[in-house]
PDB file of all heavy atoms in Angstrom:
ATOM      1  N   CYS A  19       0.941 -17.965  -0.624  1.00 94.00           N
ATOM      2  CA  CYS A  19       1.248 -16.648  -0.007  1.00 94.00           C
ATOM      3  C   CYS A  19       0.396 -15.578  -0.711  1.00 94.00           C
ATOM      4  O   CYS A  19      -0.055 -15.784  -1.819  1.00 94.00           O
ATOM      5  CB  CYS A  19       2.726 -16.326  -0.060  1.00 94.00           C
ATOM      6  SG  CYS A  19       3.299 -15.877  -1.768  1.00 94.00           S
ATOM      7  N   VAL A  20       0.251 -14.449  -0.056  1.00 95.00           N
ATOM      8  CA  VAL A  20      -0.348 -13.252  -0.560  1.00 95.00           C
ATOM      9  C   VAL A  20       0.841 -12.253  -0.752  1.00 95.00           C
ATOM     10  O   VAL A  20       1.527 -11.961   0.191  1.00 95.00           O
ATOM     11  CB  VAL A  20      -1.417 -12.676   0.308  1.00 95.00           C
ATOM     12  CG1 VAL A  20      -1.906 -11.324  -0.217  1.00 95.00           C
ATOM     13  CG2 VAL A  20      -2.582 -13.624   0.520  1.00 95.00           C
ATOM     14  N   CYS A  21       1.009 -11.736  -1.944  1.00 92.00           N
ATOM     15  CA  CYS A  21       2.112 -10.803  -2.219  1.00 92.00           C
ATOM     16  C   CYS A  21       1.727  -9.854  -3.326  1.00 92.00           C
ATOM     17  O   CYS A  21       0.680 -10.060  -4.012  1.00 92.00           O
ATOM     18  CB  CYS A  21       3.452 -11.542  -2.428  1.00 92.00           C
ATOM     19  SG  CYS A  21       3.539 -12.260  -4.058  1.00 92.00           S
ATOM     20  N   ALA A  22       2.593  -8.889  -3.569  1.00 92.00           N
ATOM     21  CA  ALA A  22       2.387  -7.900  -4.572  1.00 92.00           C
ATOM     22  C   ALA A  22       3.020  -8.211  -5.912  1.00 92.00           C
ATOM     23  O   ALA A  22       2.937  -7.438  -6.849  1.00 92.00           O
ATOM     24  CB  ALA A  22       2.899  -6.467  -4.086  1.00 92.00           C
ATOM     25  N   VAL A  23       3.612  -9.375  -6.036  1.00 92.00           N
ATOM     26  CA  VAL A  23       4.299  -9.822  -7.250  1.00 92.00           C
ATOM     27  C   VAL A  23       3.390 -10.733  -8.092  1.00 92.00           C
ATOM     28  O   VAL A  23       2.810 -11.638  -7.521  1.00 92.00           O
ATOM     29  CB  VAL A  23       5.641 -10.571  -6.912  1.00 92.00           C
ATOM     30  CG1 VAL A  23       6.302 -11.037  -8.203  1.00 92.00           C
ATOM     31  CG2 VAL A  23       6.535  -9.686  -6.103  1.00 92.00           C
ATOM     32  N   GLU A  24       3.213 -10.443  -9.371  1.00 94.00           N
ATOM     33  CA  GLU A  24       2.299 -11.174 -10.168  1.00 94.00           C
ATOM     34  C   GLU A  24       2.869 -12.506 -10.726  1.00 94.00           C
ATOM     35  O   GLU A  24       2.224 -13.490 -10.706  1.00 94.00           O
ATOM     36  CB  GLU A  24       1.801 -10.336 -11.391  1.00 94.00           C
ATOM     37  CG  GLU A  24       0.895 -11.095 -12.329  1.00 94.00           C
ATOM     38  CD  GLU A  24       0.474 -10.205 -13.525  1.00 94.00           C
ATOM     39  OE1 GLU A  24       1.005  -9.154 -13.686  1.00 94.00           O
ATOM     40  OE2 GLU A  24      -0.450 -10.702 -14.278  1.00 94.00           O
ATOM     41  N   ARG A  25       4.115 -12.451 -11.119  1.00 93.00           N
ATOM     42  CA  ARG A  25       4.744 -13.648 -11.732  1.00 93.00           C
ATOM     43  C   ARG A  25       4.938 -14.803 -10.749  1.00 93.00           C
ATOM     44  O   ARG A  25       5.581 -14.634  -9.709  1.00 93.00           O
ATOM     45  CB  ARG A  25       6.110 -13.280 -12.332  1.00 93.00           C
ATOM     46  CG  ARG A  25       6.729 -14.402 -13.123  1.00 93.00           C
ATOM     47  CD  ARG A  25       8.034 -13.904 -13.778  1.00 93.00           C
ATOM     48  NE  ARG A  25       8.638 -14.988 -14.607  1.00 93.00           N
ATOM     49  CZ  ARG A  25       9.734 -14.856 -15.309  1.00 93.00           C
ATOM     50  NH1 ARG A  25      10.351 -13.664 -15.296  1.00 93.00           N
ATOM     51  NH2 ARG A  25      10.326 -15.846 -15.933  1.00 93.00           N
ATOM     52  N   PRO A  26       4.379 -15.969 -11.083  1.00 93.00           N
ATOM     53  CA  PRO A  26       4.507 -17.064 -10.112  1.00 93.00           C
ATOM     54  C   PRO A  26       5.814 -17.798 -10.253  1.00 93.00           C
ATOM     55  O   PRO A  26       6.565 -17.656 -11.284  1.00 93.00           O
ATOM     56  CB  PRO A  26       3.333 -18.015 -10.603  1.00 93.00           C
ATOM     57  CG  PRO A  26       3.262 -17.763 -12.054  1.00 93.00           C
ATOM     58  CD  PRO A  26       3.556 -16.272 -12.237  1.00 93.00           C
ATOM     59  N   LEU A  27       6.164 -18.564  -9.251  1.00 90.00           N
ATOM     60  CA  LEU A  27       7.349 -19.466  -9.280  1.00 90.00           C
ATOM     61  C   LEU A  27       7.100 -20.570 -10.268  1.00 90.00           C
ATOM     62  O   LEU A  27       5.929 -20.902 -10.593  1.00 90.00           O
ATOM     63  CB  LEU A  27       7.622 -20.020  -7.915  1.00 90.00           C
ATOM     64  CG  LEU A  27       7.923 -18.980  -6.770  1.00 90.00           C
ATOM     65  CD1 LEU A  27       7.949 -19.712  -5.470  1.00 90.00           C
ATOM     66  CD2 LEU A  27       9.179 -18.255  -7.075  1.00 90.00           C
ATOM     67  N   ALA A  28       8.120 -21.241 -10.706  1.00 88.00           N
ATOM     68  CA  ALA A  28       7.948 -22.442 -11.482  1.00 88.00           C
ATOM     69  C   ALA A  28       7.248 -23.476 -10.672  1.00 88.00           C
ATOM     70  O   ALA A  28       7.571 -23.743  -9.484  1.00 88.00           O
ATOM     71  CB  ALA A  28       9.319 -23.019 -11.874  1.00 88.00           C
ATOM     72  N   GLY A  29       6.157 -24.064 -11.238  1.00 86.00           N
ATOM     73  CA  GLY A  29       5.361 -25.048 -10.526  1.00 86.00           C
ATOM     74  C   GLY A  29       4.241 -24.457  -9.716  1.00 86.00           C
ATOM     75  O   GLY A  29       3.540 -25.187  -8.976  1.00 86.00           O
ATOM     76  N   ALA A  30       4.088 -23.135  -9.831  1.00 90.00           N
ATOM     77  CA  ALA A  30       3.062 -22.495  -8.992  1.00 90.00           C
ATOM     78  C   ALA A  30       2.176 -21.601  -9.962  1.00 90.00           C
ATOM     79  O   ALA A  30       2.466 -21.395 -11.110  1.00 90.00           O
ATOM     80  CB  ALA A  30       3.656 -21.598  -7.949  1.00 90.00           C
ATOM     81  N   ARG A  31       1.032 -21.124  -9.412  1.00 93.00           N
ATOM     82  CA  ARG A  31       0.130 -20.242 -10.105  1.00 93.00           C
ATOM     83  C   ARG A  31      -0.132 -19.028  -9.281  1.00 93.00           C
ATOM     84  O   ARG A  31      -0.031 -19.080  -8.017  1.00 93.00           O
ATOM     85  CB  ARG A  31      -1.222 -20.932 -10.375  1.00 93.00           C
ATOM     86  CG  ARG A  31      -1.177 -22.100 -11.383  1.00 93.00           C
ATOM     87  CD  ARG A  31      -2.610 -22.478 -11.796  1.00 93.00           C
ATOM     88  NE  ARG A  31      -2.577 -23.505 -12.821  1.00 93.00           N
ATOM     89  CZ  ARG A  31      -2.784 -24.793 -12.694  1.00 93.00           C
ATOM     90  NH1 ARG A  31      -3.077 -25.230 -11.411  1.00 93.00           N
ATOM     91  NH2 ARG A  31      -2.790 -25.629 -13.680  1.00 93.00           N
ATOM     92  N   SER A  32      -0.536 -17.954  -9.944  1.00 95.00           N
ATOM     93  CA  SER A  32      -0.879 -16.716  -9.200  1.00 95.00           C
ATOM     94  C   SER A  32      -2.303 -16.275  -9.664  1.00 95.00           C
ATOM     95  O   SER A  32      -2.686 -16.491 -10.824  1.00 95.00           O
ATOM     96  CB  SER A  32       0.154 -15.619  -9.484  1.00 95.00           C
ATOM     97  OG  SER A  32       0.055 -15.105 -10.738  1.00 95.00           O
ATOM     98  N   LEU A  33      -3.011 -15.697  -8.748  1.00 95.00           N
ATOM     99  CA  LEU A  33      -4.401 -15.233  -8.996  1.00 95.00           C
ATOM    100  C   LEU A  33      -4.480 -13.799  -8.457  1.00 95.00           C
ATOM    101  O   LEU A  33      -4.149 -13.538  -7.297  1.00 95.00           O
ATOM    102  CB  LEU A  33      -5.335 -16.102  -8.244  1.00 95.00           C
ATOM    103  CG  LEU A  33      -6.818 -15.659  -8.188  1.00 95.00           C
ATOM    104  CD1 LEU A  33      -7.489 -15.742  -9.554  1.00 95.00           C
ATOM    105  CD2 LEU A  33      -7.588 -16.411  -7.131  1.00 95.00           C
ATOM    106  N   PHE A  34      -4.958 -12.846  -9.304  1.00 96.00           N
ATOM    107  CA  PHE A  34      -5.145 -11.465  -8.839  1.00 96.00           C
ATOM    108  C   PHE A  34      -6.351 -11.439  -7.908  1.00 96.00           C
ATOM    109  O   PHE A  34      -7.494 -11.801  -8.269  1.00 96.00           O
ATOM    110  CB  PHE A  34      -5.348 -10.514 -10.001  1.00 96.00           C
ATOM    111  CG  PHE A  34      -5.654  -9.155  -9.623  1.00 96.00           C
ATOM    112  CD1 PHE A  34      -4.624  -8.279  -9.072  1.00 96.00           C
ATOM    113  CD2 PHE A  34      -6.865  -8.541  -9.818  1.00 96.00           C
ATOM    114  CE1 PHE A  34      -4.943  -6.996  -8.768  1.00 96.00           C
ATOM    115  CE2 PHE A  34      -7.188  -7.276  -9.475  1.00 96.00           C
ATOM    116  CZ  PHE A  34      -6.189  -6.485  -8.928  1.00 96.00           C
ATOM    117  N   LEU A  35      -6.167 -10.928  -6.645  1.00 96.00           N
ATOM    118  CA  LEU A  35      -7.216 -10.871  -5.739  1.00 96.00           C
ATOM    119  C   LEU A  35      -7.904  -9.536  -5.659  1.00 96.00           C
ATOM    120  O   LEU A  35      -9.090  -9.372  -5.368  1.00 96.00           O
ATOM    121  CB  LEU A  35      -6.652 -11.146  -4.268  1.00 96.00           C
ATOM    122  CG  LEU A  35      -6.128 -12.617  -4.034  1.00 96.00           C
ATOM    123  CD1 LEU A  35      -5.503 -12.629  -2.654  1.00 96.00           C
ATOM    124  CD2 LEU A  35      -7.236 -13.611  -4.170  1.00 96.00           C
ATOM    125  N   GLY A  36      -7.083  -8.448  -5.974  1.00 96.00           N
ATOM    126  CA  GLY A  36      -7.572  -7.137  -5.942  1.00 96.00           C
ATOM    127  C   GLY A  36      -6.438  -6.234  -5.394  1.00 96.00           C
ATOM    128  O   GLY A  36      -5.366  -6.688  -5.141  1.00 96.00           O
ATOM    129  N   ALA A  37      -6.744  -4.947  -5.224  1.00 96.00           N
ATOM    130  CA  ALA A  37      -5.698  -4.012  -4.749  1.00 96.00           C
ATOM    131  C   ALA A  37      -6.120  -3.412  -3.435  1.00 96.00           C
ATOM    132  O   ALA A  37      -7.286  -3.199  -3.202  1.00 96.00           O
ATOM    133  CB  ALA A  37      -5.468  -2.926  -5.777  1.00 96.00           C
ATOM    134  N   MET A  38      -5.125  -3.229  -2.543  1.00 95.00           N
ATOM    135  CA  MET A  38      -5.436  -2.524  -1.273  1.00 95.00           C
ATOM    136  C   MET A  38      -4.924  -1.036  -1.491  1.00 95.00           C
ATOM    137  O   MET A  38      -3.860  -0.822  -1.860  1.00 95.00           O
ATOM    138  CB  MET A  38      -4.633  -3.194  -0.128  1.00 95.00           C
ATOM    139  CG  MET A  38      -4.886  -2.592   1.206  1.00 95.00           C
ATOM    140  SD  MET A  38      -3.961  -3.423   2.524  1.00 95.00           S
ATOM    141  CE  MET A  38      -4.852  -5.012   2.624  1.00 95.00           C
ATOM    142  N   ARG A  39      -5.911  -0.178  -1.117  1.00 95.00           N
ATOM    143  CA  ARG A  39      -5.645   1.260  -1.223  1.00 95.00           C
ATOM    144  C   ARG A  39      -4.952   1.827  -0.015  1.00 95.00           C
ATOM    145  O   ARG A  39      -5.450   1.655   1.143  1.00 95.00           O
ATOM    146  CB  ARG A  39      -6.902   2.016  -1.530  1.00 95.00           C
ATOM    147  CG  ARG A  39      -6.792   3.532  -1.568  1.00 95.00           C
ATOM    148  CD  ARG A  39      -7.860   4.218  -2.353  1.00 95.00           C
ATOM    149  NE  ARG A  39      -7.742   3.832  -3.778  1.00 95.00           N
ATOM    150  CZ  ARG A  39      -8.583   4.151  -4.740  1.00 95.00           C
ATOM    151  NH1 ARG A  39      -9.710   4.832  -4.404  1.00 95.00           N
ATOM    152  NH2 ARG A  39      -8.410   3.838  -5.953  1.00 95.00           N
ATOM    153  N   TYR A  40      -3.827   2.500  -0.223  1.00 96.00           N
ATOM    154  CA  TYR A  40      -3.074   3.152   0.874  1.00 96.00           C
ATOM    155  C   TYR A  40      -3.135   4.696   0.710  1.00 96.00           C
ATOM    156  O   TYR A  40      -3.087   5.193  -0.404  1.00 96.00           O
ATOM    157  CB  TYR A  40      -1.639   2.720   0.852  1.00 96.00           C
ATOM    158  CG  TYR A  40      -1.400   1.320   1.335  1.00 96.00           C
ATOM    159  CD1 TYR A  40      -1.647   0.242   0.576  1.00 96.00           C
ATOM    160  CD2 TYR A  40      -0.825   1.106   2.604  1.00 96.00           C
ATOM    161  CE1 TYR A  40      -1.409  -1.073   1.057  1.00 96.00           C
ATOM    162  CE2 TYR A  40      -0.560  -0.134   3.112  1.00 96.00           C
ATOM    163  CZ  TYR A  40      -0.879  -1.257   2.295  1.00 96.00           C
ATOM    164  OH  TYR A  40      -0.639  -2.486   2.747  1.00 96.00           O
ATOM    165  N   ARG A  41      -3.360   5.375   1.780  1.00 95.00           N
ATOM    166  CA  ARG A  41      -3.371   6.878   1.772  1.00 95.00           C
ATOM    167  C   ARG A  41      -2.308   7.402   2.663  1.00 95.00           C
ATOM    168  O   ARG A  41      -1.981   6.843   3.750  1.00 95.00           O
ATOM    169  CB  ARG A  41      -4.768   7.349   2.182  1.00 95.00           C
ATOM    170  CG  ARG A  41      -5.820   7.109   1.199  1.00 95.00           C
ATOM    171  CD  ARG A  41      -7.258   7.393   1.696  1.00 95.00           C
ATOM    172  NE  ARG A  41      -7.414   8.801   2.003  1.00 95.00           N
ATOM    173  CZ  ARG A  41      -8.624   9.332   2.396  1.00 95.00           C
ATOM    174  NH1 ARG A  41      -9.710   8.497   2.500  1.00 95.00           N
ATOM    175  NH2 ARG A  41      -8.743  10.565   2.730  1.00 95.00           N
ATOM    176  N   ALA A  42      -1.720   8.506   2.240  1.00 95.00           N
ATOM    177  CA  ALA A  42      -0.696   9.222   3.047  1.00 95.00           C
ATOM    178  C   ALA A  42      -1.352  10.081   4.084  1.00 95.00           C
ATOM    179  O   ALA A  42      -2.005  11.051   3.729  1.00 95.00           O
ATOM    180  CB  ALA A  42       0.247   9.977   2.106  1.00 95.00           C
ATOM    181  N   LEU A  43      -1.221   9.733   5.341  1.00 96.00           N
ATOM    182  CA  LEU A  43      -1.962  10.373   6.383  1.00 96.00           C
ATOM    183  C   LEU A  43      -1.110  10.851   7.538  1.00 96.00           C
ATOM    184  O   LEU A  43       0.075  10.356   7.710  1.00 96.00           O
ATOM    185  CB  LEU A  43      -3.091   9.399   6.956  1.00 96.00           C
ATOM    186  CG  LEU A  43      -4.035   8.798   5.981  1.00 96.00           C
ATOM    187  CD1 LEU A  43      -4.902   7.799   6.675  1.00 96.00           C
ATOM    188  CD2 LEU A  43      -4.910   9.858   5.313  1.00 96.00           C
ATOM    189  N   ALA A  44      -1.626  11.731   8.341  1.00 96.00           N
ATOM    190  CA  ALA A  44      -0.899  12.178   9.542  1.00 96.00           C
ATOM    191  C   ALA A  44      -2.038  12.831  10.419  1.00 96.00           C
ATOM    192  O   ALA A  44      -3.166  13.041  10.024  1.00 96.00           O
ATOM    193  CB  ALA A  44       0.187  13.187   9.260  1.00 96.00           C
ATOM    194  N   SER A  45      -1.629  13.077  11.659  1.00 97.00           N
ATOM    195  CA  SER A  45      -2.550  13.737  12.608  1.00 97.00           C
ATOM    196  C   SER A  45      -2.636  15.237  12.226  1.00 97.00           C
ATOM    197  O   SER A  45      -1.715  15.832  11.645  1.00 97.00           O
ATOM    198  CB  SER A  45      -2.078  13.579  14.016  1.00 97.00           C
ATOM    199  OG  SER A  45      -0.949  14.328  14.219  1.00 97.00           O
ATOM    200  N   PRO A  46      -3.787  15.909  12.607  1.00 96.00           N
ATOM    201  CA  PRO A  46      -3.846  17.352  12.331  1.00 96.00           C
ATOM    202  C   PRO A  46      -2.707  18.135  12.986  1.00 96.00           C
ATOM    203  O   PRO A  46      -2.212  19.112  12.364  1.00 96.00           O
ATOM    204  CB  PRO A  46      -5.205  17.722  12.905  1.00 96.00           C
ATOM    205  CG  PRO A  46      -6.004  16.463  12.848  1.00 96.00           C
ATOM    206  CD  PRO A  46      -5.028  15.370  13.085  1.00 96.00           C
ATOM    207  N   ALA A  47      -2.311  17.740  14.245  1.00 97.00           N
ATOM    208  CA  ALA A  47      -1.281  18.482  14.923  1.00 97.00           C
ATOM    209  C   ALA A  47       0.051  18.302  14.130  1.00 97.00           C
ATOM    210  O   ALA A  47       0.845  19.281  14.051  1.00 97.00           O
ATOM    211  CB  ALA A  47      -1.120  17.964  16.366  1.00 97.00           C
ATOM    212  N   PHE A  48       0.357  17.123  13.624  1.00 96.00           N
ATOM    213  CA  PHE A  48       1.559  16.877  12.886  1.00 96.00           C
ATOM    214  C   PHE A  48       1.583  17.699  11.609  1.00 96.00           C
ATOM    215  O   PHE A  48       2.589  18.335  11.249  1.00 96.00           O
ATOM    216  CB  PHE A  48       1.678  15.388  12.544  1.00 96.00           C
ATOM    217  CG  PHE A  48       2.955  15.061  11.816  1.00 96.00           C
ATOM    218  CD1 PHE A  48       4.152  14.670  12.456  1.00 96.00           C
ATOM    219  CD2 PHE A  48       2.963  15.066  10.414  1.00 96.00           C
ATOM    220  CE1 PHE A  48       5.268  14.387  11.780  1.00 96.00           C
ATOM    221  CE2 PHE A  48       4.119  14.795   9.706  1.00 96.00           C
ATOM    222  CZ  PHE A  48       5.259  14.387  10.384  1.00 96.00           C
ATOM    223  N   ILE A  49       0.471  17.794  10.966  1.00 95.00           N
ATOM    224  CA  ILE A  49       0.336  18.569   9.696  1.00 95.00           C
ATOM    225  C   ILE A  49       0.629  20.000  10.001  1.00 95.00           C
ATOM    226  O   ILE A  49       1.313  20.709   9.227  1.00 95.00           O
ATOM    227  CB  ILE A  49      -1.029  18.345   9.004  1.00 95.00           C
ATOM    228  CG1 ILE A  49      -1.095  16.865   8.514  1.00 95.00           C
ATOM    229  CG2 ILE A  49      -1.190  19.314   7.879  1.00 95.00           C
ATOM    230  CD1 ILE A  49      -2.437  16.472   7.982  1.00 95.00           C
ATOM    231  N   ASP A  50       0.015  20.522  11.076  1.00 94.00           N
ATOM    232  CA  ASP A  50       0.192  21.925  11.387  1.00 94.00           C
ATOM    233  C   ASP A  50       1.663  22.247  11.778  1.00 94.00           C
ATOM    234  O   ASP A  50       2.159  23.292  11.386  1.00 94.00           O
ATOM    235  CB  ASP A  50      -0.716  22.324  12.644  1.00 94.00           C
ATOM    236  CG  ASP A  50      -2.166  22.364  12.280  1.00 94.00           C
ATOM    237  OD1 ASP A  50      -2.516  22.455  11.071  1.00 94.00           O
ATOM    238  OD2 ASP A  50      -3.014  22.282  13.213  1.00 94.00           O
ATOM    239  N   ARG A  51       2.320  21.289  12.366  1.00 94.00           N
ATOM    240  CA  ARG A  51       3.663  21.528  12.827  1.00 94.00           C
ATOM    241  C   ARG A  51       4.679  21.395  11.693  1.00 94.00           C
ATOM    242  O   ARG A  51       5.588  22.229  11.609  1.00 94.00           O
ATOM    243  CB  ARG A  51       4.073  20.534  13.901  1.00 94.00           C
ATOM    244  CG  ARG A  51       5.470  20.718  14.500  1.00 94.00           C
ATOM    245  CD  ARG A  51       5.838  19.697  15.568  1.00 94.00           C
ATOM    246  NE  ARG A  51       4.833  19.711  16.639  1.00 94.00           N
ATOM    247  CZ  ARG A  51       4.145  18.632  17.033  1.00 94.00           C
ATOM    248  NH1 ARG A  51       4.336  17.498  16.424  1.00 94.00           N
ATOM    249  NH2 ARG A  51       3.310  18.715  18.025  1.00 94.00           N
ATOM    250  N   TYR A  52       4.511  20.434  10.790  1.00 93.00           N
ATOM    251  CA  TYR A  52       5.551  20.201   9.844  1.00 93.00           C
ATOM    252  C   TYR A  52       5.225  20.603   8.447  1.00 93.00           C
ATOM    253  O   TYR A  52       6.127  20.800   7.601  1.00 93.00           O
ATOM    254  CB  TYR A  52       5.922  18.715   9.859  1.00 93.00           C
ATOM    255  CG  TYR A  52       6.621  18.213  11.062  1.00 93.00           C
ATOM    256  CD1 TYR A  52       5.980  17.608  12.102  1.00 93.00           C
ATOM    257  CD2 TYR A  52       8.024  18.358  11.160  1.00 93.00           C
ATOM    258  CE1 TYR A  52       6.631  17.151  13.263  1.00 93.00           C
ATOM    259  CE2 TYR A  52       8.676  17.962  12.333  1.00 93.00           C
ATOM    260  CZ  TYR A  52       7.959  17.340  13.372  1.00 93.00           C
ATOM    261  OH  TYR A  52       8.654  16.909  14.443  1.00 93.00           O
ATOM    262  N   LEU A  53       3.944  20.677   8.075  1.00 91.00           N
ATOM    263  CA  LEU A  53       3.528  20.782   6.665  1.00 91.00           C
ATOM    264  C   LEU A  53       2.777  22.019   6.293  1.00 91.00           C
ATOM    265  O   LEU A  53       2.893  22.509   5.215  1.00 91.00           O
ATOM    266  CB  LEU A  53       2.752  19.512   6.270  1.00 91.00           C
ATOM    267  CG  LEU A  53       3.427  18.177   6.498  1.00 91.00           C
ATOM    268  CD1 LEU A  53       2.453  17.003   6.177  1.00 91.00           C
ATOM    269  CD2 LEU A  53       4.710  18.056   5.680  1.00 91.00           C
ATOM    270  N   ALA A  54       1.930  22.482   7.203  1.00 85.00           N
ATOM    271  CA  ALA A  54       1.060  23.622   6.848  1.00 85.00           C
ATOM    272  C   ALA A  54       1.929  24.857   6.558  1.00 85.00           C
ATOM    273  O   ALA A  54       2.725  25.264   7.408  1.00 85.00           O
ATOM    274  CB  ALA A  54       0.064  23.856   7.968  1.00 85.00           C
ATOM    275  N   GLY A  55       1.688  25.472   5.347  1.00 79.00           N
ATOM    276  CA  GLY A  55       2.397  26.650   5.032  1.00 79.00           C
ATOM    277  C   GLY A  55       3.949  26.485   4.847  1.00 79.00           C
ATOM    278  O   GLY A  55       4.672  27.471   4.936  1.00 79.00           O
TER     279      GLY A  55
END
């Protein structure tokens, strides 16, 4: 499996693959309606 947990199960191994970057996003209209000012 691919997961965000480092510690492996007994009898298994884990390998760090890298990190996936997430950004907090929204549409311009949503930002204007709910967040701007």
Side-chain angles (χ1 to χ4, degrees):
C19 74
V20 175
C21 74
V23 179
E24 179 179 8
R25 184 176 179 178
L27 300 172
R31 291 193 175 100
S32 71
L33 169 72
F34 177 70
L35 296 174
M38 182 179 289
R39 174 157 292 174
Y40 286 77
R41 288 171 63 176
L43 305 174
S45 69
F48 181 91
I49 292 173
D50 289 342
R51 182 181 304 124
Y52 290 98
L53 303 176

